[in-house]
Amino acid sequence: MPKKAEALVLGVFSAPPDEGEPPAASTRPRAGGIELAVPAALSAGCAKAVLRRLEAAGVTGAPGSVTAVAAPAEGESGYQEGLPATIITVGLGDAESLDSEALRRSAGAVARWLTAAPAKFGHVATTLSDFGLAAAVEGWLLGSYQFTGFAHQAAHAPGVTFVAAGKGSKKEFVAAQITAEAVIFARDLVNTPANFCYPAAYADYLAHTAEQLGVKAQVFDAKELAKRGFGGVLAVGQGSHREPRVVHLKWKPKKAKKLTAPKLALVGKGITFDTGGISLKPARSMEDMISDMGGSAAAAAAVFAAARLDLQLEVTSTLAIAENMPSGHATRPGDVITHYGGTTSEIINTDAEGRLVLADAIAFAAETEPDYLVETSTLTGAQIVALGTRTAGVMGSPEFSAQVAAIGREVGENAWAMPLLEEHDEAARSPIADLRNASNSRDGGMLFAATYLSRFVPDSLPWAHVDIVGPSFNTGSAHGYTPKRATGTPVRTFIALMQKLCAATAPATGPEAKA
């Protein structure tokens, strides 16, 4: 037990009420409908004394519930030398139902509790890692996250030691730490106010970070965008005096042997503030529109994580960054623009701006000849209507989209594969351009947007569009390891996808791969 620890955090399982002795197979001390997890950290006498105190406090073992009790003091029954003065328990639910996500959430819950507790601890120790080191580390770091911004208040999160992790745990710990820090990187970007995180400043910060991590970065300013024909990005950004940018990041291991993993292209929407443009949004909660660059933040964080993890694959991230503002220079409904690659779009609604910048970015990213392409964006309010605030919609090539959605569910970033609809093929046609950026119907708005984006994806390229309007920005209460405001979704999905691709040897290709 670390000498500097001021508290010990243990897990508590819910259990049936005591009826004589616990089952012979059980190695956990039980009393009052709870089982104390990891009794090896405590002597038998100390465990019984702690259980009595927890029972008196009414602890149930409900997932995420947190309770603090005093450890037996010197001279009391059950005293254990070297044990911190405070025992903090977090409910893990039923022992048979505990999985990585349940552990991640409970670790996040106790970490959040510690950051807000009136009694501030400088350092704590926990044995939650005995049930899964990576999940415990990720949940703890993500749950203790705080963004105070420019408020005159000090953030507090105690240091933590994960004890009894077992042999070979250092590599697993570091990987989990990097994964959590990648999520935090994305959260910080999204939470930063738009008067600090505007296109030029955002692009410069990403380029600076890339240089530190050995990631190649290209930044295209407005002049370069015009030269290259990024008409969608320029059309969205022209209403603001802050000029747009496109950032292209590339990670490729320098000392690697011939790479066998498929090449992955990530694309992210980076609208640093979205007023809706001429199709102005309602004023209510418009301040949350700093979150409209969440897709780009996740895509950038994933590439930087690949570099830190030294993943043996080539991955790029193309980020379309602009500020959507109304002005005398703004794009109007009814205007026609020309995208990167030559496709033309009739603008029906300037608040459907994300698909305009993404169209350019997708077409550009496809020219790098990836084996797979994944784009993510806070694209449509219809995503929340269809799937709620915690589940992303995934559309694109049916098989690959289903795979991406499944990976999201595996890591606790809920996602569900959705179809592209035949009727939207006709709805996306314009009488004066190749496409129109919105339909006049609210039906299936999330799916229409994906159909529009599909027109910029080569037929032979497996791809997925991940709509994260709800999951990426939590306007409700904090829960588990998810804070209010920016969540960092779907960074962990992308990291897990890259890790799976590293284990692959050949991509699935062919015209049938595209929806």
Side-chain angles (χ1 to χ4, degrees):
M1 190 66 58
K3 294 181 179 180
K4 59 184 177 181
E6 301 166 24
L8 174 63
V9 178
L10 302 174
V12 175
F13 291 113
S14 56
D18 290 335
E19 295 179 0
E21 293 296 321
S26 174
T27 59
R28 295 183 290 265
R30 174 189 294 184
I34 59 173
E35 287 184 346
L36 192 59
V38 199
L42 306 176
S43 67
C46 184
K48 290 181 179 179
V50 170
L51 272 172
R52 287 194 296 270
R53 298 181 185 203
L54 294 174
E55 184 178 6
V59 174
T60 65
S65 59
V66 181
T67 304
V69 297
E74 187 172 2
E76 293 182 341
S77 175
Y79 170 71
Q80 181 175 327
E81 186 176 358
L83 193 68
T86 303
I87 301 292
I88 299 171
T89 62
V90 59
L92 300 176
D94 179 66
E96 300 302 319
S97 301
L98 183 67
D99 58 16
S100 293
E101 178 60 10
L103 177 60
R104 197 180 287 116
R105 291 179 180 180
S106 289
V110 70
R112 283 195 300 108
W113 184 89
L114 283 164
T115 62
K120 302 300 182 184
F121 297 94
H123 199 94
V124 301
T126 181
T127 57
L128 291 176
S129 48
D130 272 4
F131 300 99
L133 178 59
V137 171
E138 287 180 13
W140 193 287
L141 293 180
L142 295 177
S144 61
Y145 172 81
Q146 296 178 85
F147 184 85
T148 55
F150 302 91
H152 291 89
Q153 62 187 69
H156 172 77
V160 58
T161 297
F162 294 88
V163 299
K167 294 182 178 180
S169 59
K170 183 177 180 180
K171 184 176 181 180
E172 184 181 3
F173 176 89
V174 171
Q177 182 181 20
I178 290 173
T179 297
E181 288 175 350
V183 175
I184 289 169
F185 178 86
R187 287 178 179 180
D188 283 347
L189 287 173
V190 175
N191 282 328
T192 301
N195 58 325
F196 291 90
C197 186
Y198 51 88
Y202 184 19
D204 288 346
Y205 180 69
L206 293 177
H208 174 71
T209 304
E211 183 179 9
Q212 292 179 315
L213 296 175
V215 173
K216 183 179 179 181
Q218 292 177 285
V219 178
F220 304 149
D221 61 14
K223 183 177 180 180
E224 185 67 18
L225 294 175
K227 180 180 178 180
R228 291 174 176 259
F230 283 80
V233 177
L234 290 168
V236 173
Q238 71 187 43
S240 173
H241 75 281
R242 300 185 188 275
E243 294 183 342
R245 297 287 190 273
V246 166
V247 177
H248 183 69
L249 305 172
K250 179 179 179 180
W251 161 250
K252 185 176 182 179
K254 293 181 179 179
K255 297 182 180 180
K257 297 179 180 179
K258 184 177 179 181
L259 297 176
T260 59
K263 291 169 58 178
L264 175 66
L266 300 176
V267 175
K269 171 187 173 184
I271 304 299
T272 56
F273 194 81
D274 183 18
T275 67
I278 297 299
S279 305
L280 194 66
K281 293 178 180 290
R284 183 178 180 183
S285 298
M286 192 188 285
E287 67 273 12
D288 290 346
M289 287 300 99
I290 63 170
S291 67
D292 215 18
M293 40 72 73
S296 64
V303 172
F304 294 150
R308 294 186 65 194
L309 292 167
D310 195 26
L311 296 184
Q312 297 300 294
L313 86 166
E314 181 178 324
V315 56
T316 63
S317 187
T318 305
L319 315 174
I321 304 172
E323 188 175 64
N324 189 22
M325 300 289 284
S327 74
H329 299 286
T331 297
R332 298 157 294 240
D335 286 357
V336 173
I337 65 170
T338 302
H339 288 285
Y340 183 89
T343 300
T344 57
S345 284
E346 178 190 8
I347 310 303
I348 304 300
N349 185 337
T350 64
D351 194 24
E353 86 298 329
R355 64 203 70 177
L356 299 179
V357 303
L358 288 170
D360 285 0
I362 288 172
F364 177 81
E367 290 186 347
T368 66
E369 300 183 342
D371 297 305
Y372 296 97
L373 185 147
V374 183
E375 168 271 314
T376 187
S377 50
T378 50
L379 202 61
T380 65
Q383 177 270 311
I384 296 177
V385 175
L387 294 171
T389 59
R390 300 186 186 182
T391 301
V394 187
M395 294 137 280
S397 308
E399 184 177 348
F400 184 54
S401 295
Q403 180 186 1
V404 171
I407 291 172
R409 294 192 296 273
E410 288 174 9
V411 301
E413 293 181 331
N414 286 344
W416 199 253
M418 301 289 283
L420 300 183
L421 303 181
E422 181 181 358
E423 56 265 34
H424 286 155
D425 292 336
E426 177 63 31
R429 292 173 183 161
S430 165
I432 61 172
D434 296 322
L435 297 168
R436 55 184 357 189
N437 79 321
S439 70
N440 291 320
S441 170
R442 298 184 63 186
D443 298 344
M446 175 177 67
L447 310 181
F448 176 91
T451 296
Y452 178 89
L453 293 176
S454 73
R455 298 301 184 265
F456 299 88
V457 183
D459 289 339
S460 60
L461 178 57
W463 72 290
H465 156 59
V466 187
D467 196 331
I468 54 169
V469 168
S472 70
F473 200 77
N474 177 26
T475 58
S477 300
H479 54 89
Y481 54 86
T482 302
K484 287 181 65 66
R485 295 167 65 86
T487 68
T489 299
V491 171
R492 290 185 297 116
T493 299
F494 287 173
I495 293 174
L497 171 63
M498 292 188 293
Q499 290 169 334
K500 288 180 181 292
L501 290 178
C502 283
T505 57
T509 58
E512 71 281 357
K514 181 172 178 281

